[in-house]
Amino acid sequence: MSYFDAASAAPLHPVARQALLASLDEGWADPARLYREGRRARMLLDAAREATAEAVGCRPDELTFTSSGTRAVHTAVAGASAGRRRVGRHLIVSAVEHSSVLHSAEAFEAEGGTVTRVPVTRTGAVAVESYVDALRSDTALACLQSANHEVGTEQPVAAVAEACREAGAPLLVDAAQSLAWGAVEGPWSLLTGSAHKWGGPSGVGLLVVRKGVRFAAQGPVDERESGRAAGFENLPAIVAAAASLRAVRAEAEVEAARLRDLTARIRARVADVVPDVEVVGDPHRRLPGIVTFSCLYVDGEALLHELDRAGFSVSSGSSCTSSTLTPSHVLRAMGVLSEGNVRVSLPWGAAEEDVERFLAVLPGAVAGVRDKLGAPAPASASGPAPDAEGGALVVDALGRRCPIPVIELAKVIGDVPVGGTVRVLSDDEAARLDIPAWCEMRGQEYLGEEPADRGAVYTVRRTS
């Protein structure tokens, strides 16, 4: 089995395993106690904090270990916004932040704050100017991920951090996906991370609060971890997390170059071997191991099952694989195709042979799913254009989910003359994203949507 979902959770690094087992014997006592076992545990905790702080690029007393990366984000947003309550109740986030940041923003709004959600380009990147424009005199906190977890696009964190510093607003960086590859550049104020993203054990998060940043921890607190993470530290896991971060950093430069070559190969070859596919994310400013693409006329869940049966573990941002039946907020913000979405995120040490086997298996898997759904032939309309001008056709796709509305549109677009329109009636949220994306891929004109009694009507004009 080839595991290609390292962006969700990286396999446990061998160094992490060794450190975890060793610290189970040496680090079981309470590090707050003064007897021998407690002092030994405190030495392990202090050493782990110092090693992690060195890798992050902060002072040891600025770093707190939390129970997860999500908990670190929630604590950071709540504490920083509360610490600057007198400044104002305005929060800035990008539209493609991790759900932990967006959930914190929703909670902030529910408590009376206001939130500006900065849009992104079609590659998934924010414009520095957009953050500058969003900054206000009452901005309590701005948030920006270092790199996107779904498409791999790196964000201009250093420039945004500089703009925030000039405006007097702190910047929180969610660095969960990038810390394995290097420290985050720029004058950021707060930073979060998660050990299971770099080969450490799950259940260890990082929260860094720079000296001088106003921060008021919320909820019940105790004396541990500077009052920012209540409860007994999971010392063996913390030691393993620090050891694995140090280990992956030592290999990062060489491994990054190797994985960039492999993902570049996937990006180029997928577009060649699979018809009607859109490779998404920035082609250059991106993490080494992530490549994401979407396939027209494909049910994402069915495709993932086909790849799983072929021996590949991948993930998807498609609504077809989601219990909510809504497309990924990242793909939606980018305005790219969501159906048949596949994210390949290669772990450290991923073999070239496995990548080649994936590229050999993928075309057949996609074709099989399309055939089961009755999809039209690749890159073709259903028939020649009639000679008559004008004309309209209505497709009723109510109650039918991704990718059926787009498949039905593709089947009939050739039945209307050039200049004629097709109106697709759909109550599937994914249609709002995938029909315009289909038009861009096919060279047809998307005229927009109108509300209907159920769902919406999406109108497409045939141009060729």
Side-chain angles (χ1 to χ4, degrees):
M1 193 74 180
S2 298
Y3 181 75
F4 285 175
D5 194 22
S8 292
L12 192 65
H13 195 285
V15 169
R17 184 182 301 276
Q18 294 169 6
L20 181 64
L21 294 175
S23 57
L24 285 172
D25 293 331
E26 298 294 327
W28 51 267
D30 186 347
R33 300 306 177 204
L34 298 179
Y35 41 71
R36 180 179 303 171
E37 294 85 355
R39 295 197 305 272
R40 184 185 302 130
R42 169 56 64 180
M43 289 175 62
L44 288 173
L45 180 59
D46 288 347
R49 196 184 312 277
E50 289 173 5
T52 305
E54 181 182 3
V56 171
C58 67
R59 292 169 37 158
D61 59 353
E62 295 174 329
L63 188 148
T64 296
F65 292 110
T66 67
S67 59
S68 68
T70 294
R71 172 50 57 196
V73 167
H74 292 174
T75 301
V77 174
S81 58
R84 287 173 52 83
R85 185 181 293 270
R86 291 185 179 181
V87 173
R89 297 285 288 160
H90 176 235
L91 176 68
I92 303 172
V93 300
S94 83
V96 294
E97 294 298 313
H98 187 269
S99 58
S100 59
V101 175
L102 299 183
H103 292 160
S104 291
E106 291 169 1
F108 183 80
E109 277 184 311
E111 295 170 355
T114 59
V115 178
T116 297
R117 294 170 174 84
V118 177
V120 297
T121 65
R122 196 172 175 83
T123 66
V126 302
V128 177
E129 297 76 14
S130 298
Y131 262 78
V132 173
D133 293 342
L135 288 165
R136 306 185 331 202
S137 60
D138 63 341
T139 298
L141 178 68
C143 305
L144 180 62
Q145 60 191 190
S146 55
N148 188 259
H149 49 293
E150 288 195 25
V151 300
T153 298
E154 294 178 329
Q155 302 290 0
V157 171
V160 170
E162 189 61 48
C164 289
R165 182 171 68 173
E166 292 178 3
L171 177 69
L172 164 63
V173 179
D174 170 17
Q177 291 295 336
S178 71
L179 274 179
W181 306 109
V184 177
E185 300 296 330
W188 48 266
S189 301
L190 303 98
L191 180 142
T192 59
S194 188
H196 73 278
K197 304 292 188 181
W198 66 68
S202 58
V204 179
L206 306 180
L207 167 60
V208 178
V209 182
R210 294 285 201 192
K211 291 297 181 183
V213 175
R214 296 184 64 86
F215 190 94
Q218 301 300 287
V221 299
D222 61 22
E223 71 281 1
R224 298 180 187 275
E225 293 300 304
S226 304
R228 293 171 183 165
F232 201 96
E233 296 94 344
N234 185 352
L235 185 53
I238 289 172
V239 170
S244 58
L245 181 56
R246 195 167 189 168
V248 297
R249 281 292 187 83
E251 309 161 359
E253 184 176 354
V254 173
E255 185 65 3
R258 197 181 69 84
L259 291 185
R260 285 190 191 281
D261 287 343
L262 291 178
T263 52
R265 186 181 309 181
I266 296 173
R267 286 180 67 86
R269 292 267 295 281
V270 162
D272 288 339
V273 301
V274 179
D276 296 324
V277 67
E278 181 177 14
V279 182
V280 301
D282 194 294
H284 306 295
R285 290 182 53 84
R286 56 185 304 100
L287 290 173
I290 297 179
V291 56
T292 306
F293 55 90
S294 300
C295 307
L296 271 177
Y297 318 133
V298 170
D299 180 307
E301 184 172 0
L303 180 56
L304 263 58
H305 284 318
E306 288 293 326
L307 292 172
D308 182 50
R309 280 192 285 270
F312 297 97
S313 301
V314 298
S315 64
S316 174
S318 170
S319 63
C320 310
T321 62
S322 169
S323 59
T324 63
L325 295 178
T326 57
S328 146
H329 71 276
V330 172
L331 301 178
R332 187 168 61 242
M334 292 168 61
V336 298
L337 183 70
S338 76
E339 64 186 46
N341 178 260
V342 174
R343 179 187 67 182
V344 174
S345 49
L346 303 177
W348 290 60
E352 180 180 359
E353 312 87 78
D354 289 342
V355 169
E356 286 297 329
R357 190 167 65 86
F358 173 79
L359 290 169
V361 165
L362 181 65
V366 172
V369 173
R370 284 174 173 166
D371 188 56
K372 290 176 183 177
L373 292 171
S380 68
S382 60
D387 294 331
E389 295 184 359
L393 191 152
V394 176
V395 173
D396 186 350
L398 287 171
R400 310 189 73 183
R401 299 301 177 192
C402 157
I404 301 301
V406 175
I407 288 177
E408 295 303 313
L409 166 62
K411 284 181 177 179
V412 303
I413 191 70
D415 294 339
V416 299
V418 172
T421 58
V422 177
R423 293 165 60 82
V424 182
L425 180 60
S426 175
D427 54 359
D428 179 15
E429 180 66 23
R432 178 170 288 112
L433 186 61
D434 291 344
I435 289 177
W438 178 89
C439 290
E440 181 162 333
M441 294 175 72
R442 280 289 202 254
Q444 308 298 343
E445 183 181 2
Y446 178 63
L447 299 180
E449 67 172 281
E450 307 167 28
D453 292 339
R454 286 178 59 195
V457 176
Y458 303 91
T459 303
V460 176
R461 174 181 289 128
R462 181 178 178 187
T463 59
S464 61

